[in-house]
Amino acid sequence: MAALGLSYTVISSRTESTLTDSLKFYTLLGFEKVVGEDNGHWLRLPSSSPDTTAMVLKLVVNTQASERQALAKDQDWSLQDRQMVLPIQDLQGVQRVLEAQGIGFQTTAKAVVVQDPNYHVIVLQQQEQQDTSKDGLMKRRKKIGVLTSGGDASGMNACVRSVVLYGISKGCDVYAVYEGYQGNRGIQVDGECVLGVVVDGSLVDGGDYIRKMDWRSVTGYLSIGGTSIGTARCMPFKTREGRLQAAENLIKNGIDSLIVCGGDGSLTGADLFRSEWDGLVRELRGADRITQEEATTFKHLTIVGLVGSIDNDMSSTDITIGAVTSLHRICEAVDSVDTTALSHSRAFVIEVMGRHCGWLALMAGIATGADFVFIPEQPPSEDDWETAMCTVARRHRDLGKRKTIIIVAEGALDRHLKPIKVDHIKDVLTDRLGLDTRVTILGHTQRGGSPCAFDRILGTVQSIAAVDAVLASTPETPSPMIGMNNNKVTTKPLMDAVRLTHQVAEAIESQNFEKAMALRDPQFLDELKVFNETTILYDNSILLPAHQQLRIAILHIGAPAGGMNSATRAAVRYSLNRGHTIYGVTNGFTGLAHGSFEKLDWMGVDGWTTCGGSYLGTNRAVPGKDVDMGMIAYQLQKNNIQALMLVGGFEAYVSLVELEKVRSHYPSLCIPISLIPATVSNNVPGTDFSLGCDTSLNVIVSSCDAIVQSAQSSRRRVFVVEVQGGRSGFLAVEGGLAVGACAIYIPEEGIHLPRLQGDVNFLKSLYDTDDPQKSEGRVILRTEGVSKTYTTQVISEILEDEGGARFDSRTAVLGHIQQGNTPSPLDRIRASRLATHSIDFFEEMTRTALDLAHSQQKAPPLELCKNEESVAVIGLCGVEVHARPVKELLPMTDMKNRKPLDEWWHRDRSLVDTMAGRSYHSCKE
Ligand code: ADP
């Protein structure tokens, strides 16, 4: 275009009317008409910055132009050949305009993808911010530093990976600060930090502590325990001089935001650092250690805290990164000790970590069915706790138990703050009970090992929130801490969380144990109750009055899932402590119709908590459909069953619905009926998590780790891994996040050719950018029921053919191993909580009728309760347990697809793609 002296792009339309539409379309994007020499249709995208190349288009009619097709909604538009990439200043504004005009578009982390009226793919990218801020300075690209500090925790690597990948995909530069605060400060000489000056990302004395990360720097991080960028306890950072040096190092590296992953010490330090920042910058400027320009540019420091701690000792978050992996290690160890204790009829006293926090000890106690736990927040109520402990141990032994397991947090105390030590417990058990007692101190094994699925997902989603918090921060916002509350990622003031955490230790010191417990997560008290009442055989202290004691039946339905036995054990033991009589029904509703009731006792369920599968036996028969409803009602009446507990998946949910429907016909069904959701598919309405789904995710994680290792040991290979889930994509989505899958296929989206084509292109682009010297293994997760045509084998064959010399492909069908052998600690704990809450639910639903009958000196009625609330799913809403009436859940259920209409995990779907680098790789220039 001679008049403007600029090069231009020709946009050809096949008709006049499409050209008119195109003119309108490009005007909506911000183009303006300009007059060219030839009186043609010229458009120009105005640019405020002189160094930004103006985009010029010439729109013409060309009947010979190739005809294009509109892209389908479910195709990934960002992977198609694009006509052009347009820098847009107000991308969100343009998005609003497109929405208002009803023009379809897709978004990626960095761009909006749209089709023009000629079906050209146009990528709209946020223009690099070249404008000036209020104080007249050039706005800079965000430079985020990420560091891990204090005690290492599994899942810290997931955090670093996620900050790096998500930060880069958001257009930031990300730097890893190695060795925690020490890396901020200088190099180490003789174990002490010396002051070093960082120049261009390295330390003068040869140290290289602050390194810029790229997409490939964090390959493989997800599966590695501990922290690959190192951590340290840096004493000098506790001094102002140390923090002054850290500030200088950050400024010299151009880092304006710091994401710190550590425990409460590290986050206390981070908070202090930010509060002092202003003064530190002035002092550095005063000493001429930084220039005036640097002092102005780095006037504000953004700090975001991620809680990496195995102790789960931070207030304001339900769970910390690394705690669940540590619990895995502890449970593996206790399960192993258990068998030797059983063989030799020994007692074991096991010390676990937790100086001020008994979370690990208590959860391990619940998960392994230990006989006793000692935690700092709740010392034994008796001064003579030794006698109380021996009484319980003796009582359990008298029942026929051959083993005694006592778990002690390292910071356990008695009411007078005297430490409770493992050796003393051992002496007490040996001397008073004559037990052959051994002490096992688990020590650092608790920190190690590959992170479990939970910590990988937690680290990933929290770090994404941390980067978002960095981008949203202003000088006025207090430093945030990323937490997790009721299964939702939260952002709370770091300072408040640190203050509350310190108050727990203070409360313990001042012997205010009630306050210490109250300051812990709300479910902690509930968990303590669950432990005590399902593990310790009580001396009638929680026994109900005789007229309130029930006859309860429990049965398993559907496929086996980790935690079914744990739930049964907890229900039995808690029931016995309350005075109920409890029956196990063998083989689900088929067994019930045949009257297969078996009375369960304390020792009959000993050891069940650690066992997968279903000891009662389970099948898919549904009452009213596969089993005669009349027979079920008859057997319940004949056996005088007053409450029914179902443990199972969607078939169990359907059973609940069917039983509720016919209550008016069968008086014996007018009893409280509960469902404890248990299925790997996690598709039961009324709960965030079903029993078995965590076990299954961990099987997927460990299998995929092995698969990737095998793949990359020899060649560039893509594994298509088939996971279970029926018509629910839960396992593929959450598993995909946990293993870093590069694609997932889920029933909610289906599979189509264009999608496959896009994935092939994506994989090619990934392998093209890989280090040619390395063979990279990659994983795609496919839910079993996603497509009849595109089977796991077919997808793999397509990839094999299309991959050519770049990569080959194999399949792995995980099948029934996903039901797991040993249930994961989380499944065991969830099972125990849901089971005890289910018994509480039965008591609550029957109390009025039983009390009335008792006051009238009558026998309990057959119809104990008819209200809708008395048929319910006992489920988890985050960490809280709720009874949700089935009638209330029905409108929220997609019966055809056997799942809830709304599922929380859909929010993680797009994160799988983001972490795989879809938008990053497709939008990279
Ligand atoms: P964690 O973060 O796991 O609780 P620490 O308590 O050992 O571990 O703290 C880790 C590091 O955080 C310390 O070595 C120190 O560098 C820094 N830190 C801890 N407490 C403070 C504090 N009060 N002031 C400044 N820095 C601190």
Side-chain angles (χ1 to χ4, degrees):
M1 188 180 174
L4 294 170
L6 295 166
S7 58
Y8 58 89
T9 305
V10 176
I11 303 285
S12 302
S13 301
R14 283 167 60 88
T15 64
E16 278 292 345
S17 89
T18 325
L19 183 132
T20 311
D21 290 347
S22 300
L23 277 170
K24 193 174 157 207
F25 172 83
Y26 284 102
T27 312
L28 288 175
L29 298 188
F31 279 83
E32 289 173 358
K33 278 192 181 173
V34 282
V35 181
E37 289 169 343
D38 58 358
N39 280 333
H41 298 287
W42 291 93
L43 293 176
R44 182 182 181 182
L45 188 61
S47 166
S48 61
S49 154
D51 60 342
T52 307
T53 316
M55 298 288 304
V56 182
L57 307 180
K58 183 179 183 184
L59 274 58
V60 297
V61 174
N62 177 1
T63 51
Q64 303 303 313
S66 54
E67 197 168 359
R68 295 165 180 276
Q69 300 290 326
L71 294 173
K73 272 191 195 155
D74 55 8
Q75 272 178 274
D76 188 343
W77 296 1
S78 66
L79 297 175
Q80 312 303 318
D81 284 343
R82 75 268 310 259
Q83 176 77 12
M84 58 188 151
V85 179
L86 296 176
I88 299 290
Q89 275 187 3
D90 179 12
L91 193 56
Q92 283 184 349
V94 168
Q95 230 168 300
R96 282 194 294 274
V97 170
L98 293 174
E99 252 159 18
Q101 295 292 321
I103 299 172
F105 59 87
Q106 290 184 348
T107 51
T108 68
K110 283 205 303 190
V112 170
V113 190
V114 65
Q115 289 176 266
D116 77 0
N118 309 292
Y119 303 127
H120 289 127
V121 175
I122 314 291
V123 177
L124 312 176
Q125 260 183 357
Q126 182 65 56
Q127 188 173 357
E128 284 286 323
Q129 293 182 333
Q130 298 289 340
D131 54 335
T132 49
S133 59
K134 266 190 265 165
D135 44 13
L137 288 164
M138 239 6 168
K139 275 195 188 162
R140 303 166 55 256
R141 208 174 151 85
K142 274 264 170 227
K143 288 195 175 185
I144 304 175
V146 55
L147 65 84
T148 50
S149 166
D152 69 305
S154 270
M156 281 181 160
N157 272 331
C159 293
V160 175
R161 171 182 179 269
S162 182
V163 169
V164 169
L165 301 186
Y166 188 64
I168 292 175
S169 75
K170 282 280 182 188
C172 309
D173 289 336
V174 184
Y175 291 79
V177 179
Y178 282 68
E179 313 304 335
Y181 290 125
Q182 201 158 291
N184 243 333
R185 184 167 182 278
I187 55 166
Q188 212 181 15
V189 175
D190 294 337
E192 267 303 309
C193 283
V194 296
L195 305 184
V197 182
V198 180
V199 181
D200 291 338
S202 67
L203 300 173
V204 160
D205 287 349
D208 183 12
Y209 280 72
I210 301 182
R211 296 183 206 155
K212 189 166 179 196
M213 305 295 268
D214 64 24
W215 200 272
R216 275 190 303 209
S217 317
V218 288
T219 303
Y221 266 43
L222 261 181
S223 58
I224 304 170
T227 162
S228 298
I229 62 170
T231 181
R233 294 205 155 93
C234 174
M235 288 310 136
F237 194 75
K238 289 190 170 177
T239 65
R240 189 176 159 89
E241 183 49 37
R243 295 190 291 276
L244 189 71
Q245 184 60 56
E248 182 179 0
N249 289 348
L250 286 183
I251 292 173
K252 291 292 176 194
N253 276 280
I255 294 172
D256 48 27
S257 313
L258 204 54
I259 296 179
V260 178
C261 180
D264 86 276
S266 304
L267 299 184
T268 305
D271 193 48
L272 185 63
F273 192 39
R274 152 112 186 219
S275 65
E276 286 179 350
W277 184 258
D278 196 30
L280 294 173
V281 171
R282 266 190 278 116
E283 194 175 330
L284 286 171
R285 177 67 204 115
D288 216 16
R289 287 166 69 173
I290 57 171
T291 64
Q292 182 52 46
E293 195 189 339
E294 285 170 332
T296 319
T297 309
F298 296 95
K299 213 167 143 201
H300 306 292
L301 173 74
T302 304
I303 287 215
V304 178
L306 286 166
V307 200
S309 161
I310 65 163
D311 294 343
N312 196 24
D313 54 354
M314 189 61 132
S315 287
S316 310
T317 183
D318 294 340
I319 191 79
T320 59
I321 298 155
V324 177
T325 301
S326 187
L327 186 60
H328 274 250
R329 296 295 93 82
I330 294 171
C331 289
E332 283 157 16
V334 179
D335 289 352
S336 311
V337 156
D338 216 58
T339 52
T340 172
L342 193 68
S343 309
H344 292 270
S345 189
R346 277 186 183 140
F348 272 86
V349 187
I350 301 167
E351 184 184 288
V352 302
M353 285 186 173
R355 266 171 298 160
H356 301 292
C357 183
W359 189 86
L360 282 174
L362 179 58
M363 295 309 123
I366 299 174
T368 61
D371 295 75
F372 226 87
V373 296
F374 289 100
I375 60 173
E377 299 91 334
Q378 182 82 300
S381 49
E382 311 81 358
D383 280 347
D384 183 7
W385 57 264
E386 291 93 337
T387 301
M389 175 188 73
C390 287
T391 309
V392 169
R394 179 80 275 152
R395 210 180 289 148
H396 292 174
R397 288 268 167 177
D398 288 347
L399 282 170
K401 259 190 123 174
R402 279 178 57 82
K403 56 174 188 184
T404 304
I405 304 285
I406 315 265
I407 299 183
V408 188
E410 60 180 329
L413 302 164
D414 71 10
R415 295 200 76 76
H416 308 290
L417 304 184
K418 190 168 159 234
I420 296 181
K421 290 287 172 201
V422 282
D423 287 330
H424 175 59
I425 298 174
K426 176 192 168 203
D427 292 343
V428 170
L429 292 174
T430 311
D431 298 344
R432 297 204 196 168
L433 299 179
L435 293 175
D436 179 5
T437 309
R438 305 293 155 104
V439 167
T440 302
I441 296 174
L442 297 184
H444 287 81
T445 55
Q446 293 164 81
R447 289 197 180 275
S450 185
C452 66
F454 185 90
D455 279 324
R456 296 180 189 205
I457 297 167
L458 185 69
T460 302
V461 298
Q462 290 202 330
S463 304
I464 288 172
V467 173
D468 282 337
V470 164
L471 296 175
S473 82
T474 65
E476 292 75 39
T477 11
S479 295
M481 184 193 89
I482 310 298
M484 199 77 175
N485 295 98
N486 264 330
N487 198 27
K488 289 195 183 69
V489 179
T490 50
T491 305
K492 295 186 175 169
L494 176 58
M495 213 163 61
D496 293 355
V498 166
R499 191 172 36 78
L500 280 171
T501 305
H502 290 168
Q503 281 180 16
V504 178
E506 286 157 19
I508 293 173
E509 264 165 42
S510 59
Q511 289 167 272
N512 189 346
F513 302 112
E514 218 168 290
K515 184 173 175 198
M517 282 303 280
L519 285 166
R520 286 271 176 248
D521 326 314
Q523 76 275 16
F524 196 70
L525 200 56
D526 181 54
E527 282 153 347
L528 184 61
K529 176 179 175 295
V530 166
F531 170 76
N532 285 332
E533 296 176 358
T534 64
T535 300
I536 298 171
L537 176 62
Y538 273 75
D539 50 356
N540 297 344
S541 53
I542 59 166
L543 203 63
L544 288 170
H547 74 275
Q548 286 179 1
Q549 295 173 6
L550 297 165
R551 289 166 62 85
I552 302 170
I554 177 164
L555 72 159
H556 298 174
I557 302 142
M564 280 180 153
N565 289 329
S566 321
T568 309
R569 168 196 169 274
V572 169
R573 294 214 163 159
Y574 181 50
S575 291
L576 295 177
N577 271 332
R578 302 291 280 166
H580 305 306
T581 308
I582 188 153
Y583 295 89
V585 178
T586 46
N587 297 325
F589 279 104
T590 327
L592 178 55
H594 288 109
S596 311
F597 292 86
E598 185 189 316
K599 195 167 169 188
L600 297 171
D601 62 18
W602 192 273
M603 283 308 291
V605 292
D606 199 39
W608 280 30
T609 192
T610 55
C611 299
S614 158
Y615 280 146
L616 291 180
T618 180
N619 62 39
R620 294 184 185 274
V622 169
K625 293 188 172 164
D626 313 296
V627 185
D628 181 57
M629 192 66 88
M631 280 309 288
I632 288 170
Y634 165 75
Q635 289 292 356
L636 289 174
Q637 187 163 349
K638 183 177 163 213
N639 290 281
N640 189 16
I641 297 301
Q642 296 169 302
L644 184 62
M645 181 192 291
L646 316 181
V647 183
F650 205 84
E651 272 90 12
Y653 180 75
V654 177
S655 305
L656 202 66
V657 174
E658 295 300 319
L659 292 170
E660 204 281 333
K661 259 194 232 164
V662 297
R663 277 172 120 199
S664 54
H665 303 299
Y666 300 103
S668 64
L669 292 182
C670 295
I671 55 174
I673 308 176
S674 73
L675 163 60
I676 295 182
T679 164
V680 301
S681 308
N682 199 23
N683 60 344
V684 176
T687 191
D688 287 350
F689 302 99
S690 300
L691 305 184
C693 72
D694 184 67
T695 301
S696 189
L697 280 175
N698 281 297
V699 171
I700 292 171
V701 158
S702 54
S703 306
C704 286
D705 282 355
I707 284 167
V708 168
Q709 189 187 63
S710 141
Q712 67 196 17
S713 303
S714 55
R715 44 179 29 99
R716 298 162 144 232
R717 179 168 280 175
V718 180
F719 262 93
V720 185
V721 180
E722 183 177 301
V723 297
Q724 291 189 328
R727 274 167 253 174
S728 160
F730 168 81
L731 285 179
V733 169
E734 295 301 302
L737 262 191
V739 303
C742 58
I744 55 170
Y745 298 119
I746 57 173
E748 289 79 1
E749 295 170 353
I751 314 183
H752 308 286
L753 263 185
R755 168 79 203 277
L756 279 172
Q757 178 66 63
D759 289 345
V760 166
N761 291 346
F762 174 56
L763 281 166
K764 283 180 182 170
S765 73
L766 285 181
Y767 278 97
D768 283 345
T769 51
D770 275 351
D771 181 345
Q773 305 305 320
K774 280 192 181 163
S775 46
E776 206 61 72
R778 292 194 163 87
V779 166
I780 290 179
L781 297 188
R782 176 189 176 279
T783 310
E784 54 188 359
V786 65
S787 162
K788 285 200 177 100
T789 316
Y790 300 110
T791 60
T792 302
Q793 189 61 33
V794 166
I795 295 175
S796 177
E797 281 165 15
I798 292 172
L799 294 178
E800 173 90 17
D801 277 6
E802 297 287 331
R806 289 184 176 97
F807 58 87
D808 70 5
S809 178
R810 293 287 185 275
T811 60
V813 178
L814 300 186
H816 287 81
I817 65 163
Q818 287 163 92
Q819 285 166 7
N821 181 14
T822 306
S824 72
L826 279 190
D827 275 333
R828 302 183 201 179
I829 294 163
R830 287 171 182 164
S832 302
R833 287 189 74 204
L834 295 180
T836 46
H837 278 265
S838 178
I839 303 295
D840 287 341
F841 166 77
F842 293 156
E843 291 174 6
E844 199 185 313
M845 290 295 135
T846 53
R847 193 170 297 126
T848 311
L850 292 174
D851 283 351
L852 184 68
H854 180 65
S855 66
Q856 296 171 343
Q857 295 183 335
K858 287 183 187 164
L862 181 58
E863 295 184 358
L864 279 172
C865 51
K866 290 185 188 175
N867 55 333
E868 286 176 0
E869 289 74 33
S870 56
V871 180
V873 173
I874 311 292
L876 284 159
C877 175
V879 291
E880 288 168 12
V881 181
H882 290 283
R884 304 279 303 275
V886 71
K887 270 274 173 91
E888 187 188 289
L889 292 171
L890 261 181
M892 301 173 220
T893 308
D894 176 352
M895 287 308 264
K896 185 166 158 266
N897 288 308
R898 299 162 51 85
K899 56 201 292 204
L901 286 171
D902 192 19
E903 289 160 305
W904 63 267
W905 50 265
H906 287 287
R907 70 181 185 212
D908 291 346
R909 167 63 186 98
S910 62
L911 301 184
V912 178
D913 283 350
T914 307
M915 289 294 111
R918 279 195 170 243
S919 50
Y920 170 74
H921 286 280
S922 62
C923 289
K924 200 167 47 164
E925 299 293 342

